[in-house]
Amino acid sequence: MGKYRVNQKIEFLTDCIPKPGESYEISPGILWIRMPLPFKLNHINLWLIEETDGWILVDSGINDGRTKFLWKKIIDKVLNKKPIKKLICTHAHPDHIGLGGWIKKKYKTNLFMTREEWAFGRMFAAGNMDDKESYFEYFTRLGCNPSEIEEYREHISTADKLYYKVPYDFFRLRDGSKLMIAGNSWEVIVGLGHSHEQACLYCPESNVFISGDQVLPKITPTVMVQAYEPQANPLRDFLESNEKLRRLPENVTVLPSHNLPFKGLHERLDQYLAHHMDRLEVVLNACCKPLSGIEVAKVLFPYDLDMHSKFFAIGETMAHIKYLEYQGKLVRSEDTIGTERYSTV
């Protein structure tokens, strides 16, 4: 098993990435599966844990024909005719639960997730997040023009196609609750900021932490203000949630949803903190004069972005703006056409 280091404290466990439809044993009894995604971030990691009478699956991949084909291949080739007993979905983004309803229905699997993520997934999969009037009002306040607003709305209005119908019933996960998996106790640790109530899993016996999107080794999880909750403070939630993770051992094996499994959890948490403090300073310096949300976004992301990236860029920007506003370092005003602008106090 190869090893190589990003820096002094973060090390990847292997450079052997499982091919589509195949698995790789990343830790005793835990198989790593990688499913493709049709985005710039082109994959998601899924985890299978073997029990004597079946398998526990963490996350599902998106709802498309390619992912279904690969799952059928894995069922036939990897699972040794044993059923998937539990499907644990860390959160409601489509790469994590998009195919969850299909797996539950086809393989008679029980779904486990937090209640907020289940409810959000049900709404999103049903297309209930496409509210043209609300999106227009929100993005107008940020200073976006009508063509940009329509692009953002289209991004949301087509996302429900990435979901198979999210199941009506589920088993609820709570922060601090325990799951017995393959004879070991796994603790549910809820992370906020990237999503509403993301369920990460920690096993002290095997010293393994399934981090979902809360902790990733190479990229920063998207932390954004959404149009449906415009006064949220997700960056504060994200940073506070990460502080809870410092009680885990420094040498814990981290199994993230993207990139490669690694060690160096505390170092990565330090990097996230430094990254966001740097971005907050950029926002403060930019707002020495009143700027709209979209104007600040062009300072934070000063390069050409496609529609998909623009949507995330404005959400990330507003997360940093709201963090500073709640700290009392930025003040909000409104101009004569209804655009909100932010300036330093």
Side-chain angles (χ1 to χ4, degrees), residues 111-137:
L111 173 65
F112 288 72
M113 61 192 308
T114 64
R115 186 162 61 187
E116 281 201 44
E117 297 292 343
W118 169 80
F120 183 77
R122 288 275 296 180
M123 288 191 297
F124 218 126
N128 292 334
M129 303 306 293
D130 183 18
D131 186 330
K132 186 173 183 177
E133 182 179 347
S134 296
Y135 275 97
F136 186 85
E137 179 185 347

Side-chain angles (χ1 to χ4, degrees), residues 48-262:
L48 276 166
I49 305 174
E50 186 172 12
E51 298 191 306
T52 56
D53 58 346
W55 295 86
I56 309 300
L57 169 63
V58 181
D59 289 333
S60 70
I62 63 167
N63 175 40
D64 67 2
R66 180 169 56 166
T67 308
K68 290 176 182 176
F69 169 80
L70 291 173
W71 264 121
K72 291 173 183 176
K73 187 176 179 180
I74 289 167
I75 296 294
D76 294 338
K77 185 177 181 179
V78 176
L79 300 194
N80 299 320
K81 299 182 179 180
K82 295 199 296 188
I84 299 175
K85 295 168 52 183
K86 295 186 179 75
L87 169 61
I88 301 171
C89 288
T90 57
H91 59 295
H93 293 163
D95 48 337
H96 297 263
I97 196 181
L99 209 56
W102 180 81
I103 291 173
K104 183 180 187 301
K105 181 178 179 180
K106 188 173 182 65
Y107 300 107
K108 311 301 181 187
T109 303
N110 291 319
L111 173 65
F112 288 72
M113 61 192 308
T114 64
R115 186 162 61 187
E116 281 201 44
E117 297 292 343
W118 169 80
F120 183 77
R122 288 275 296 180
M123 288 191 297
F124 218 126
N128 292 334
M129 303 306 293
D130 183 18
D131 186 330
K132 186 173 183 177
E133 182 179 347
S134 296
Y135 275 97
F136 186 85
E137 179 185 347
Y138 174 68
F139 284 108
T140 296
R141 292 201 306 271
L142 301 188
C144 301
N145 62 51
S147 63
E148 289 174 324
I149 296 172
E150 186 59 27
E151 282 186 338
Y152 299 142
R153 192 191 69 82
E154 287 179 3
H155 174 80
I156 293 296
S157 67
T158 58
D160 62 301
K161 296 178 176 60
L162 302 176
Y163 291 85
Y164 194 88
K165 183 179 179 181
V166 173
Y168 176 77
D169 59 310
F170 75 108
F171 291 82
R172 184 183 178 187
L173 300 179
R174 301 169 183 260
D175 188 38
S177 62
K178 303 292 195 299
L179 288 173
M180 290 302 298
I181 302 175
N184 291 329
S185 176
W186 290 72
E187 178 187 354
V188 176
I189 302 177
V190 165
L192 308 177
H194 173 71
S195 66
H196 296 281
E197 195 184 9
Q198 180 171 194
C200 307
L201 301 170
Y202 171 57
C203 179
E205 289 87 348
S206 58
N207 199 28
V208 170
F209 178 53
I210 298 178
S211 64
D213 282 351
Q214 192 72 24
V215 182
L216 305 172
K218 289 186 176 182
I219 58 177
T220 303
T222 302
V223 179
M224 56 189 296
V225 174
Q226 302 277 6
Y228 56 80
E229 193 181 1
Q231 300 306 321
N233 191 355
L235 181 55
R236 180 192 62 193
D237 293 339
F238 178 73
L239 295 176
E240 289 180 353
S241 291
N242 284 354
E243 285 304 305
K244 294 194 308 181
L245 300 178
R246 293 186 184 275
R247 66 180 173 85
L248 304 187
E250 169 62 29
N251 67 343
V252 66
T253 294
V254 183
L255 304 183
S257 291
H258 305 285
N259 306 132
L260 300 173
F262 71 100

